Every structure is written in structure tokens, then in C-alpha cells.
Amino acid sequence: MLEEDAARRATIVTVVVVGALVVAQTAVTAAVTSGSQPAMSVESVPDDPAATAWQDAPTRTVSLSKQQMAPPFGGGSVSEMDVQTVHNDTHTAFRVTWEDPTRDANIRAPGNYSDAAAVMLRTGDKPPITMGAAGKPVDIWYWRASWQFENHSSFGEMYTYPHPNNETMPGRAAGNPLSKAQYDRFAQNYYAKGYGSLSHAPRQNVRANAEYDDGEWSVVFTRKHDTDGKFDATFSGSKNVYLAFAVWNGSADEVNGQKSITLQFTSLDTKKWAMSDASSSASQSGDGQSASGDSGSGTSSGDSGEPWIVHSVSNWVVGLVVTTLLTWTVVYWRARG
């Protein structure tokens, strides 16, 4: 009987403790990410991640998850990202910030991959989360650490073959935008109409600037409100702009489809200039939205119709399991004693 009473007491206490933790986690998540965050109006849109304007700009925290919708699967080493938006009469800028213990900007050796970040955008109606679709293309802004910070002058003569450069460096000779000798904007503009359709936009009008400080990347993407790019997102006309985010951690071998992604959209209302969660019932309104997408942004890492714990980051799940086991064990043995 003593053992049964101890087990019963341990179970009751454990249920109470775990329930309190779940409620607390939900409350913290709601406090951080619910509602809307204003996009701050500034006189001059800064491209410096350390500019004082960013200190006052409201912050939205979005959860990130492993990409597991299309091969190559993987990533997920970054659990969350902070997003800020500022604007003036002509330009809009986003600053994305995330923790990364390693600064990966050197890709000169085999197996080296660069840290990187991307923002996916579409103005008007919400696109499918899976990098758009036919009839609903998306605009993608992409920054790579190696473009900005790799010391290209130290490369030396990597190709010493007695052949012309157009034979030993065919990518550069063909004008491949990923094979340039130097980059000045540190970002590239892409279009996509679904998985496997990424294309280099004819108009390269996006700038990026980043800094790495104390184990954290901060990247600022800047562009004019309106451009003449065919599928470029526009920030005028009081329309909604749907935003999604992705991060690559080079030291975790994240490259291509292996990345940390948001699974819900964030909506930027350019009439009120405010960001909010776009994972409302509209995501189930037959717009082709996948129940689990490649990159959306929002306040949790899964579809809004499922419990938050299903898509919570793995560290929280592991912590909850460990807490459950420890609580039950400690209470049980104390009750027996």
C-alpha cells in the first residue's frame, strides 16, 4: 500500500507541475508574439545593423523549425529569430537577428558552408507556404555571410592550370550569380513558383548588411517601396505583405534545403504599418496552403490548427520529459521514505 500511495502522490504532483509548465510556456509565447508589432517610421532607413533606430524599433519573435517538406531535408539548428521593420516615404528595411555560436563565412575548403538568411515576400493574397506556386510567385531576398565577409583578396591563384579562366572557372564565365569574384550589395533577389523553381531575378534591387557580435548575427535587408521587378513585393498601396524567414547555419552543414524555417506567415499591413501573425483561418481558405510549409513566419513553428506543443522546439520537449521523470521520481521516493 505504501508503494501505491507513493506512486499516486507522485503522479498527482507531476501532473500539477507539468500542467503549470505548459501554461507558463503558453503564456510566455503569447506575451512575446501575440498581437501586432508596429513597423517604426524613421526619417532615414538605416542599413547598419547597429544603428540606433533599431534599438527603439518593436521586435517580433518567430519560431524556426527543421525543413522537412522537400528534399534535401534537414536543418533546424536555430530555434527562433527576432524581426524588426522600419520604413520612411521611400524605403523599407527588415532586421533579422538570431543566435549562432559560430561565424561561418569561409567556404574555401570542401565541406565548408556559409551562414545565410532569407526573407520570402508576396504582396496581396497569401501564397502557398511552399515557396509560392504557379500563379502565386514569391519574391525572395537572400544574404550570405561569405559574400560580405570572406577575404577574396587572400585566395591567390587557386586555379593554376595552363588554361583560360573560362575553362577553369566556368560558373564565373557563364555569369552565374553565385560564382562572382566580389559582391557589393551582399544580397540577391530571387523569384520562385514552388519548390525547385528558384530563379535569379533580372532586377537586383535589394541590399543587405550584416554584423556578427557576441554569438549573434544581425542582418538588415533594405529596398525601395516600389520597383519595376516583375514579381517584386511592393510596400505601397495599403496592401498586406506576407513574410516568411529562413536561416542557414554553416557549421551545422546547412545548405540548400537544409535550413531552419518559419512555418507560418507574418503579415505586414502597409496601411497601418504593423506586423502580425497571418496564421488565421485564412490559411485554410483554399489558397493552396500546405499544412506544413517550407518557410512561413509566425508565432509558433507549426500550423495554427494543431496544439503548440506538437511543433515546439526540441529543447523544450526534452526539458519537459526530463522534468516529468525527475518530478515523479523525487516525489515517489520521498513519499516512500
Side-chain angles (χ1 to χ4, degrees):
M1 289 298 293
L2 181 61
E3 292 183 358
E4 292 181 1
D5 290 341
R8 186 181 301 109
R9 180 178 300 180
T11 301
I12 294 173
V13 172
T14 301
V15 169
V16 172
V17 170
V18 171
L21 287 174
V22 171
V23 170
Q25 172 71 9
T26 304
V28 169
T29 301
V32 172
T33 61
S34 63
S36 63
Q37 288 72 39
M40 192 172 71
S41 177
V42 294
E43 182 176 348
S44 177
V45 170
D47 59 5
D48 183 357
T52 56
W54 298 113
Q55 298 176 10
D56 299 323
T59 300
R60 180 171 186 80
T61 301
V62 296
S63 296
L64 300 169
S65 299
K66 178 170 63 176
Q67 195 285 117
Q68 49 189 348
M69 278 64 67
F73 308 109
S77 65
V78 182
S79 62
E80 66 179 19
M81 168 191 285
D82 288 339
V83 182
Q84 296 170 288
T85 308
V86 299
H87 68 99
N88 62 11
D89 291 339
T90 60
H91 288 72
T92 297
F94 301 99
R95 186 175 81 156
V96 294
T97 305
W98 70 96
E99 293 183 359
D100 186 345
T102 57
R103 180 183 181 275
D104 305 307
N106 178 3
I107 59 173
R108 283 175 283 175
N112 282 11
Y113 302 107
S114 176
D115 292 336
V119 183
M120 185 173 79
L121 315 91
R122 178 173 168 83
T123 302
D125 55 341
K126 184 191 296 185
I129 199 72
T130 51
M131 294 179 65
K136 289 190 176 182
V138 293
D139 187 13
I140 297 175
W141 302 353
Y142 178 63
W143 165 87
R144 184 180 284 182
S146 62
W147 293 344
Q148 182 169 354
F149 296 105
E150 192 167 43
N151 185 5
H152 294 271
S153 64
S154 66
F155 280 17
E157 289 297 329
M158 294 177 60
Y159 300 94
T160 57
Y161 305 107
H163 303 288
N165 284 345
N166 63 348
E167 295 181 16
T168 58
M169 293 182 282
R172 190 173 300 175
N176 188 326
L178 298 179
S179 301
K180 292 182 179 180
Q182 297 285 344
Y183 295 86
D184 53 359
R185 291 177 174 266
F186 310 133
Q188 295 193 15
N189 192 32
Y190 292 95
Y191 298 147
K193 298 180 181 180
Y195 289 131
S197 65
L198 192 69
S199 62
H200 194 251
R203 306 286 185 178
Q204 291 299 307
N205 42 39
V206 180
R207 292 185 178 275
N209 189 31
E211 72 168 10
Y212 183 82
D213 182 55
D214 195 23
E216 184 176 81
W217 276 114
S218 294
V219 182
V220 174
F221 292 93
T222 309
R223 208 209 66 191
K224 288 183 178 180
H225 287 176
D226 297 301
T227 68
D228 53 2
K230 184 176 182 180
F231 299 130
D232 287 354
T234 178
F235 298 93
S236 62
S238 299
K239 296 180 179 179
N240 279 345
V241 180
Y242 291 95
L243 308 170
F245 305 93
V247 172
W248 290 259
N249 181 3
S251 61
D253 295 337
E254 294 180 5
V255 64
N256 298 325
Q258 298 168 317
K259 54 190 173 182
S260 301
I261 59 174
T262 48
L263 294 173
Q264 294 174 357
F265 284 104
T266 287
S267 175
L268 173 61
D269 184 339
T270 61
K271 181 178 182 180
K272 298 178 180 179
W273 281 105
M275 292 186 296
S276 60
D277 183 11
S279 61
S280 63
S281 58
S283 65
Q284 305 296 330
S285 62
D287 60 358
Q289 180 93 346
S290 170
S292 57
D294 172 45
S295 59
S297 98
T299 60
S300 66
S301 58
D303 184 80
S304 60
E306 296 179 339
W308 66 270
I309 199 170
V310 173
H311 297 291
S312 59
V313 295
S314 59
N315 288 342
W316 165 248
V317 175
V318 171
L320 193 64
V321 171
V322 171
T323 300
T324 300
L325 295 175
L326 286 178
T327 301
W328 194 94
T329 302
V330 170
V331 174
Y332 174 78
W333 286 110
R334 284 191 175 184
R336 284 198 61 184

